[in-house]
């Protein structure tokens, strides 16, 4: 097969996959996915599926490479401007985000949304995974940019 790549942007703030929760119902433990995770996956899966089908693509199998760029909104502290000259203290470009949310949890929620969108049957077909986390540049909206591609031979 020829190498290929698919680019897509999910226009909503990224989040990490939350741990399943347990509740006691009638004396029995019941596991459930937290609402925020379920809602993010539902939105992303619908967006991904629509874009995938618009291009007339069929479900793919591996080996696949996935590149994820998660762009989070800047915190208030990162929006601080100098009193002297109105410049942003931390610049106007993207900044690395070396704090929680963990990169592996971002990968999990994106892969689950892609699986729910039927882009692939199981995320085990991802053999090459890169996740990068940033705070947005000034004026940039939070989003998740993905590139799904055929994986290069080892």
């Amino acid at each position: 097969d020829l190498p290929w790549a698919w680019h897509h942007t999910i226009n909503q703030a990224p989040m990490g996959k939350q741990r399943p929760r347990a509740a006691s119902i009638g004396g029995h433990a019941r596991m459930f996915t937290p609402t925020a995770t379920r809602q993010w996956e539902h939105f992303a899966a619908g967006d991904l599926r629509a874009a995938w089908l618009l291009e007339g693509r069929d479900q793919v199998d591996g080996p696949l490479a996935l590149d994820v760029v998660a762009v989070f909104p800047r915190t208030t502290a990162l929006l601080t401007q100098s009193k002297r000259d109105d410049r942003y203290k931390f610049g106007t470009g993207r900044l690395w985000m070396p704090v929680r949310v963990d990169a592996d949890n971002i990968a999990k929620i994106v892969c689950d949304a892609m699986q729910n969108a039927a882009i692939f049957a199981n995320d085990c077909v991802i053999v090459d995974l890169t996740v990068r986390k940033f705070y947005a540049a000034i004026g940039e909206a939070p989003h998740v940019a993905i590139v799904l591609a055929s994986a290069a031979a080892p």
Side-chain angles (χ1 to χ4, degrees), residues 8-130:
H8 185 69
T9 299
I10 301 167
N11 289 310
Q12 77 171 345
M15 71 174 289
K17 177 107 177 180
Q18 298 170 312
R19 293 181 186 272
R21 305 283 193 254
S24 178
I25 299 174
H28 299 285
R30 180 176 169 263
M31 300 299 289
F32 66 95
T33 301
T35 302
T37 292
R38 215 172 47 251
Q39 289 174 339
W40 197 97
E41 284 180 0
H42 179 77
F43 174 87
D47 183 55
L48 289 160
R49 184 77 182 147
W52 189 256
L53 291 176
L54 187 66
E55 294 186 19
R57 293 180 178 268
D58 294 322
Q59 192 173 73
V60 293
D61 54 8
L64 301 174
L66 179 62
D67 182 69
V68 178
V69 176
V71 180
F72 289 83
R74 282 191 178 210
T75 63
T76 304
L78 294 176
L79 291 170
T80 305
Q81 291 178 293
S82 170
K83 291 181 182 177
R84 260 184 282 152
D85 57 12
D86 257 2
R87 289 188 184 176
Y88 288 95
K89 287 186 178 181
F90 298 96
T92 58
R94 284 184 181 173
L95 303 169
W96 288 110
M97 186 182 155
V99 297
R100 292 195 182 261
V101 172
D102 295 348
D104 63 320
N105 290 325
I106 295 168
K108 286 178 200 169
I109 202 167
V110 169
C111 285
D112 286 351
M114 293 179 81
Q115 186 171 316
N116 292 342
I119 291 172
F120 41 71
N122 191 306
D123 59 12
C124 68
V125 298
I126 304 294
V127 298
D128 182 1
L129 175 66
T130 304

